[in-house]
Amino acid sequence: MDVDNVLLLKPHKHLRRFDGRKLIRRRAACSIYKKGIILVLLICILSILYYFQYISKASFSGLIHKSSPPEANIKCNVNGIRIPQNHDHKTEARLRSDPKVLVFVETIYSKVGREIAELLVYNRIKYKQEVFGKSLPVLTNLDKGRYGVIVFENFNAYLKMDKWNRDLLDKYCREYSVAIIGFINTSEETLVSAELKGFPLFVNTSLKLQDAALNPASEILRITRAGETLLGPLPGDDWTVFQLNHSTYEPLEWAHRQEESKPSNTLKTPLTTVVQDHGLFDNIQRVIFGSGLRFWLHRLLFLDCLSYLSHGQLSISLERKILVDIDDIFVGEIGTRLKPDDVRMLIKKQDVIEQMVPGFKFNLGFSGKYFHHGNRLEDQGDDLLLENVDKFMWFSHMWNHLQPHLYDNLTVLIEDMMLNKKFAKEKGIPVDSGYSVSPHHSGVYPVHELLYTAWKKVWNVRVTSTEEYPHLRPARLRRGFIHRDIMVLPRQTCGLFTHTMFLNSYPGGEAKLDESIRGGELFQTIVYNPVNIFMTHMSNYANDRLALYTFESVIRFLRCWTNIELKSAAPLQLAETYFKNFPEETDPVWGNPCEDVRHQKIWSKNKSCESLPNFLVIGPQKTGTTALYTFLSLHPTIKSSLPSKETFEEIQFFNGNNYYKGLDWYMNFFPIEPNVTSIYFEKSATYFDGENVPKRVHALLQTAKLVTILISPAKRAYSWYQHTKAHGDLIANNYSFHDVITAGDTAPKPLRDLRNRCLVPGKYAQHLERWLSYFSASQLLIINGDMLKTNPVEVMDEMQKFLKVGTIFNYTSHLRFDSTKGFFCQIVNGDKTKCLGKNKGRQYPLMEERSAKFLQRFYLSHNTALVKLLKRIGVRNVPQWLKDDLSDTET
């Protein structure tokens, strides 16, 4: 082997050392190179993120989200053409009974019974609920039936009635053309081809069903539209189906049995799940449901049955108005706002919806301060909205989106609104809609008076809306009202919220949203409400565009399954329609914000929950209420309301025009002293017989105590006549007392009005029953007016126990009988007494005997009813005047 080859095979040790160091240096250089590349890549990534975050203002979440907006895929054979159902159900038989439903339930807590009641309340249908027992309620009123339809939550209760009651009920149904609706309760046992007692009708129970369809030939269908099959399993596994064995029966709904073993192409026999009895068997019409109301289609059928079986009396309109407000059109986090493609899709889908809902336009609410507060594309979206300003309706929000109840200064609130109005004019946004919505419902209810004042001054607002009146939940009880000439409409919810922007993060998932659309809460909300106002957030029209999917889908589903005529209109027209249909809702009912956590959050912080009275002296007039007011005012712990300029010691809030001045006005009469514990009250003697007063008082003062004073109603009537006469009343001075109390209904109106003020308050039992329908007997103290006059100390001691005052006040050392006045007066300066005003304690001439006898006869039934009422509520001692009035009548 030569030397060169040897050197190649075995390098010199110095050469080997040299090569190893070189290799190490090469590896180190490579490592540095790799780290450099990684560092450069990191810097590039961070630079990109920095660019999008601070240059384009794009959020990281918006950058990485790659969802595809869902599309409405509900299809049916409507194809834009309505299939008319010309059944108005009206016949002359509707004149024979009242438009009211009698509902028999097994208990007040039973599930189907509650569902029936909720459905009736939602649709404003009058009803009476009776727990099924041994006797029937009164069914007739003179020659007219009290109820147009009778409903049994458990049809078995009807089948098992004793012969006496069954014959009585069936006779009523035949004579007044009243029909029966029943629901089969299968919880008791499983039946196979069992005959319903007394009917040629057989049932199979405890079945699982699927694929429901309706009988298109049925005359019952009115709201509900036939022609489709609802594919899939029906809720529950306890369905009842019917086998028909008489020509009187006609199927209303069919379904199929769930049988997984059979192949899908096997022909299945439809099973009757709702059956109509035409009355050919026993002259009584009936509809029997094989399941309760948890199946949404049964809710629609139930309403149609009420309409048909009541001969059109209990029909609800087929017309529905819908308005969709898009809240905060310029307000939203970066990355969630509308981009140009979103705006173009908004316009496109608006056109699609308008083909199904004539007049439809989205109503955009703007807060101008946040215009151009997005990234580059979102700012372009803002611009594109304004380029298409005429394609939408617009309404004002607040300039800076601050809740109005946080403003305690009217000037600042007006300035905020003026900034938004200035912005609107600069951008060509209409400012004459007469509609505005407050951020987060604030200030509309509970009412913040400054908001209503500013709205009128700046925007001439005539209409607004809220979910809060009288409470957010339950939604079926939301109502409208009018305050300071601004119409407040009830707003409904659609399942979309400010924070819900992506389908994959929707609470409950896509299935939950679709459930609401396909017969669920949103679908039923539109069916039950003649006027629907939905508020959705701007972000739900970007990103996954869930709002567009939701409204298009539910409208398509409504067209598939109902004959409802959907229309849209501007807010002012909606409000006029609403209050034309429901004029009884124009008057507001003020609730107590302190009893609702949600309401407390949107109530001004400068208002105290303690600025409300603990008890009321409710009257009636001329029974000694002023004397009681004076005695109560002596107590160091009991504080009266501030006096009124117009009505002195009486506020008269709950029974007159003062009620429309609002809760703030009322609470100003009860200034709270810091660090002082007191019991507050007000006295208004006109409350006692006010028809709406108990309802209003209960809404605001649910736990308050009530004090009333009763004297002989004949004596009270005479005292009132003399009182008006002494004050120069022309009628009282021109007519004798006997002429007044015996005036007929053809007498001049002023004479009839004085007659009523003399006689009506003395119908004590009638008025007390009204109060006791809202308040418990334990909240009511009835004072004997004669005792108050002759022994006020004993009465005031009883009063203190009733009010549970902490410190017992000794009235003995503060009241003394004044022989000149003829009643007890306040002791002042040692021996002197201070009595009521000169108008109190007048001496009147004796009442004519003929008038006394007339009044004894007039009040006989009322006094008898009062005795029964007093015993029922536990009043031990019947007043002597009441005993005397009744004994005088007997003689």
Side-chain angles (χ1 to χ4, degrees):
M1 183 180 296
D2 58 28
V3 175
D4 292 335
N5 289 333
V6 171
L7 289 174
L8 287 172
L9 291 172
K10 189 177 181 180
H12 191 273
K13 62 179 181 179
H14 295 296
L15 290 174
R16 288 199 301 270
R17 272 193 215 104
F18 172 79
D19 289 341
R21 285 195 295 268
K22 188 176 181 181
L23 181 61
I24 292 171
R25 285 196 293 270
R26 285 177 178 174
R27 287 177 177 174
C30 184
S31 176
I32 293 171
Y33 179 75
K34 288 179 179 179
K35 290 180 180 178
I37 292 175
I38 293 172
L39 181 62
V40 170
L41 288 174
L42 286 173
I43 291 172
C44 290
I45 292 172
L46 291 173
S47 298
I48 291 171
L49 292 177
Y50 178 88
Y51 175 82
F52 280 104
Q53 179 69 27
Y54 295 99
I55 305 302
S56 297
K57 298 181 181 179
S59 70
F60 189 68
S61 61
L63 182 67
I64 65 173
H65 187 79
K66 296 181 180 180
S67 65
S68 176
E71 281 289 333
N73 59 358
I74 295 172
K75 298 178 181 179
C76 57
N77 63 12
V78 176
N79 294 325
I81 301 173
R82 306 300 291 155
I83 300 175
Q85 295 282 136
N86 298 318
H87 306 311
D88 64 6
H89 294 161
K90 290 184 179 179
T91 71
E92 291 187 1
R94 72 184 186 279
L95 304 176
R96 305 187 64 188
S97 60
D98 292 329
K100 192 173 183 179
V101 181
L102 176 61
V103 182
F104 284 110
V105 297
E106 295 182 288
T107 73
I108 59 174
Y109 307 106
S110 51
K111 186 175 186 297
V112 176
R114 290 200 310 270
E115 291 173 342
I116 292 170
E118 289 171 2
L119 192 55
L120 295 173
V121 169
Y122 219 143
N123 290 277
R124 295 173 171 84
I125 296 173
K126 295 180 180 179
Y127 75 101
K128 178 180 176 60
Q129 190 176 76
E130 282 280 332
V131 177
F132 190 79
K134 294 182 179 180
S135 59
L136 294 172
V138 177
L139 298 174
T140 58
N141 182 18
L142 298 177
D143 60 344
K144 196 171 186 181
R146 288 177 177 264
Y147 308 102
V149 176
I150 297 174
V151 178
F152 284 87
E153 72 153 347
N154 185 354
F155 193 64
N156 291 330
Y158 171 70
L159 298 176
K160 295 178 180 179
M161 289 177 71
D162 62 82
K163 188 176 186 306
W164 171 267
N165 284 318
R166 175 66 178 274
D167 290 345
L168 185 64
L169 183 62
D170 286 354
K171 181 182 178 183
Y172 170 76
C173 291
R174 292 187 186 100
E175 287 187 3
Y176 294 92
S177 299
V178 173
I180 293 173
I181 298 175
F183 297 85
I184 297 293
N185 185 341
T186 61
S187 60
E188 299 172 358
E189 56 183 328
T190 298
L191 303 174
V192 179
S193 295
E195 185 176 6
L196 288 186
K197 183 180 178 181
F199 294 98
L201 186 64
F202 297 83
V203 297
N204 293 291
T205 66
S206 303
L207 300 177
K208 291 184 178 181
L209 302 178
Q210 64 183 25
D211 303 346
L214 302 174
N215 178 3
S218 174
E219 292 186 347
I220 287 179
L221 299 185
R222 185 172 172 273
I223 296 174
T224 322
R225 178 183 172 273
E228 307 299 324
T229 297
L230 188 69
L231 299 176
L234 303 185
D237 57 1
D238 56 352
W239 282 74
T240 295
V241 298
F242 303 94
Q243 293 172 283
L244 319 179
N245 198 25
H246 195 282
S247 60
T248 190
Y249 299 117
E250 179 183 3
L252 180 56
E253 178 189 71
W254 298 286
H256 296 90
R257 191 166 186 171
Q258 291 187 37
E259 296 181 11
E260 298 178 0
S261 59
K262 285 192 175 184
S264 58
N265 59 354
T266 302
L267 185 64
K268 296 181 180 179
T269 304
L271 305 173
T272 301
T273 52
V274 181
V275 62
Q276 178 184 3
D277 179 353
H278 287 280
L280 303 179
F281 181 68
D282 61 357
N283 294 319
I284 299 175
Q285 291 196 63
R286 301 175 185 86
V287 173
I288 310 172
F289 286 75
S291 183
L293 294 176
R294 61 186 165 183
F295 182 32
W296 63 266
L297 199 53
H298 282 190
R299 293 173 176 260
L300 271 61
L301 292 177
F302 180 74
L303 294 175
D304 281 345
C305 289
L306 289 177
S307 173
Y308 178 81
L309 297 176
S310 69
H311 311 283
Q313 278 199 104
L314 299 172
S315 296
I316 59 177
S317 172
L318 291 178
E319 184 176 287
R320 301 290 183 275
K321 298 289 182 64
I322 184 171
L323 175 70
V324 178
D325 292 341
I326 302 182
D327 190 21
D328 302 340
I329 198 63
F330 299 128
V331 182
E333 294 181 4
I334 296 172
T336 68
R337 299 156 63 106
L338 294 175
K339 297 182 281 294
D341 284 348
D342 299 319
V343 176
R344 284 187 278 270
M345 184 58 71
L346 181 67
I347 296 171
K348 178 182 177 181
K349 288 298 184 182
Q350 179 176 270
D351 292 340
V352 170
I353 294 175
E354 190 177 15
Q355 296 300 313
M356 300 181 285
V357 184
F360 182 85
K361 283 187 177 182
F362 286 110
N363 196 24
L364 311 188
F366 61 94
S367 294
K369 180 179 179 179
Y370 299 95
F371 178 72
H372 274 191
H373 271 51
N375 59 42
R376 180 177 56 83
L377 282 177
E378 290 169 342
D379 288 349
Q380 291 176 6
D382 288 354
D383 294 334
L384 189 56
L385 278 171
L386 295 183
E387 290 175 20
N388 292 277
V389 68
D390 59 326
K391 288 184 169 61
F392 307 103
M393 294 187 290
W394 296 79
F395 67 91
S396 170
H397 235 25
M398 297 290 292
W399 162 255
N400 63 2
H401 202 252
L402 190 63
Q403 295 170 309
H405 78 272
L406 299 176
Y407 292 85
D408 294 328
N409 185 296
L410 179 61
T411 302
V412 177
L413 183 57
I414 288 176
E415 288 174 355
D416 185 286
M417 290 186 182
M418 288 300 297
L419 287 172
N420 219 30
K421 191 170 186 178
K422 179 182 177 183
F423 166 81
K425 289 182 176 180
E426 290 174 351
K427 302 299 182 182
I429 298 173
V431 296
D432 58 352
S433 71
Y435 180 67
S436 185
V437 174
S438 172
H440 311 113
H441 313 273
S442 162
V444 181
Y445 188 86
V447 166
H448 188 53
E449 298 293 345
L450 299 184
L451 172 64
Y452 282 73
T453 302
W455 263 348
K456 275 291 182 183
K457 187 173 181 64
V458 177
W459 291 100
N460 190 28
V461 170
R462 298 178 61 189
V463 186
T464 185
S465 60
T466 182
E467 298 169 11
E468 296 295 338
Y469 176 76
H471 296 286
L472 176 66
R473 300 293 184 204
R476 65 180 180 278
L477 296 182
R478 290 178 193 159
R479 296 292 183 260
F481 69 98
I482 299 177
H483 184 54
R484 297 193 182 277
D485 295 325
I486 292 179
M487 295 176 280
V488 182
L489 293 176
R491 193 191 307 162
Q492 304 300 325
T493 47
C494 62
L496 301 177
F497 311 97
T498 303
H499 61 274
T500 302
M501 294 169 288
F502 304 119
L503 189 60
N504 60 12
S505 62
Y506 185 84
E510 183 176 359
K512 185 68 175 178
L513 179 59
D514 282 343
E515 178 186 328
S516 178
I517 292 168
R518 298 170 185 262
E521 183 177 357
L522 176 57
F523 171 86
Q524 292 178 49
T525 294
I526 299 175
V527 171
Y528 303 151
N529 289 287
V531 173
N532 294 270
I533 299 180
F534 296 103
M535 175 155 282
T536 52
H537 194 263
M538 172 267 294
S539 60
N540 284 314
Y541 294 81
N543 306 288
D544 278 359
R545 301 171 186 161
L546 288 189
L548 295 177
Y549 168 77
T550 298
F551 288 112
E552 182 183 357
S553 295
V554 75
I555 290 169
R556 290 187 183 278
F557 197 81
L558 280 159
R559 287 165 58 82
C560 288
W561 284 99
T562 76
N563 292 307
I564 284 174
E565 300 173 15
L566 278 174
K567 297 180 180 179
S568 190
L572 184 58
Q573 293 172 276
L574 293 183
E576 290 172 346
T577 298
Y578 184 91
F579 289 106
K580 180 181 179 181
N581 291 337
F582 309 115
E584 69 280 2
E585 292 183 20
T586 56
D587 286 355
V589 178
W590 306 127
N592 188 346
C594 306
E595 295 175 357
D596 190 315
V597 174
R598 187 179 173 96
H599 284 176
Q600 287 187 46
K601 291 179 180 178
I602 53 175
W603 203 38
S604 179
K605 293 181 179 179
N606 68 345
K607 299 170 187 176
S608 170
C609 291
E610 298 175 357
S611 296
L612 289 169
N614 304 99
F615 73 95
L616 305 179
V617 178
I618 60 176
Q621 291 172 298
K622 305 308 295 178
T623 59
T625 56
T626 301
L628 180 62
Y629 170 86
T630 303
F631 299 158
L632 286 168
S633 299
L634 297 177
H635 199 293
T637 306
I638 299 175
K639 305 292 183 183
S640 70
S641 57
L642 296 178
S644 167
K645 294 180 180 179
E646 293 81 19
T647 50
F648 306 103
E649 79 271 10
E650 296 194 352
I651 302 177
Q652 297 185 8
F653 175 66
F654 293 101
N655 66 320
N657 290 330
N658 287 338
Y659 192 72
Y660 306 119
K661 294 179 180 178
L663 187 54
D664 288 0
W665 182 87
Y666 183 60
M667 294 178 71
N668 286 334
F669 286 91
F670 302 94
I672 302 300
E673 300 178 32
N675 304 319
V676 176
T677 302
S678 300
I679 297 175
Y680 290 87
F681 82 98
E682 69 132 321
K683 185 272 286 188
S684 293
T686 52
Y687 287 168
F688 181 76
D689 58 312
E691 186 173 348
N692 294 321
V693 174
K695 175 183 176 181
R696 291 174 173 178
V697 172
H698 185 262
L700 182 60
L701 307 172
Q702 190 170 351
T703 61
K705 295 189 175 183
L706 310 170
V707 180
T708 184
I709 308 171
L710 303 182
I711 64 173
S712 167
K715 181 179 177 181
R716 197 220 68 85
Y718 188 57
S719 180
W720 178 253
Y721 168 80
Q722 294 292 349
H723 169 81
T724 57
K725 187 174 183 178
H727 282 77
D729 183 83
L730 292 176
I731 300 299
N733 281 306
N734 288 324
Y735 291 89
S736 70
F737 178 61
H738 191 76
D739 291 337
V740 171
I741 61 177
T742 59
D745 291 338
T746 58
K749 186 177 183 302
L751 179 56
R752 285 184 280 120
D753 289 343
L754 180 56
R755 176 200 65 187
N756 293 338
R757 288 309 307 157
C758 286
L759 298 179
V760 172
K763 300 176 180 180
Y764 295 147
Q766 174 181 315
H767 303 307
L768 287 172
E769 289 284 10
R770 189 184 302 119
W771 283 97
L772 289 170
S773 66
Y774 289 95
F775 293 88
S776 67
S778 63
Q779 292 175 267
L780 175 66
L781 176 64
I782 299 175
I783 292 176
N784 181 346
D786 289 348
M787 285 288 292
L788 179 65
K789 184 175 182 180
T790 60
N791 193 354
V793 173
E794 181 180 333
V795 171
M796 297 311 296
D797 287 345
E798 181 186 7
M799 183 88 167
Q800 291 182 84
K801 293 178 182 177
F802 172 71
L803 297 175
K804 297 181 180 179
V805 296
T807 304
I808 300 299
F809 184 69
N810 184 7
Y811 278 95
T812 303
S813 58
H814 291 81
L815 295 177
R816 179 189 299 161
F817 183 78
D818 187 303
S819 57
T820 305
K821 281 286 189 179
F823 49 77
F824 280 77
C825 300
Q826 177 186 355
I827 299 174
V828 293
N829 299 327
D831 293 334
K832 295 182 180 180
T833 58
K834 179 182 179 182
C835 292
L836 303 175
K838 63 180 181 178
N839 293 330
K840 302 297 181 181
R842 289 193 196 92
Q843 297 299 317
Y844 304 134
L846 291 175
M847 188 192 307
E848 290 183 283
E849 185 176 351
R850 60 174 181 163
S851 297
K853 288 187 178 297
F854 172 84
L855 292 175
Q856 286 167 1
R857 292 191 300 271
F858 180 84
Y859 285 119
L860 174 60
S861 61
H862 300 288
N863 284 339
T864 303
L866 179 61
V867 172
K868 293 180 181 178
L869 184 148
L870 294 177
K871 290 181 178 179
R872 191 183 83 222
I873 64 176
V875 176
R876 298 176 183 175
N877 300 318
V878 176
Q880 188 59 46
W881 61 260
L882 182 52
K883 295 177 182 178
D884 293 342
D885 279 5
L886 289 172
S887 62
D888 288 346
T889 306
E890 292 172 1
T891 58

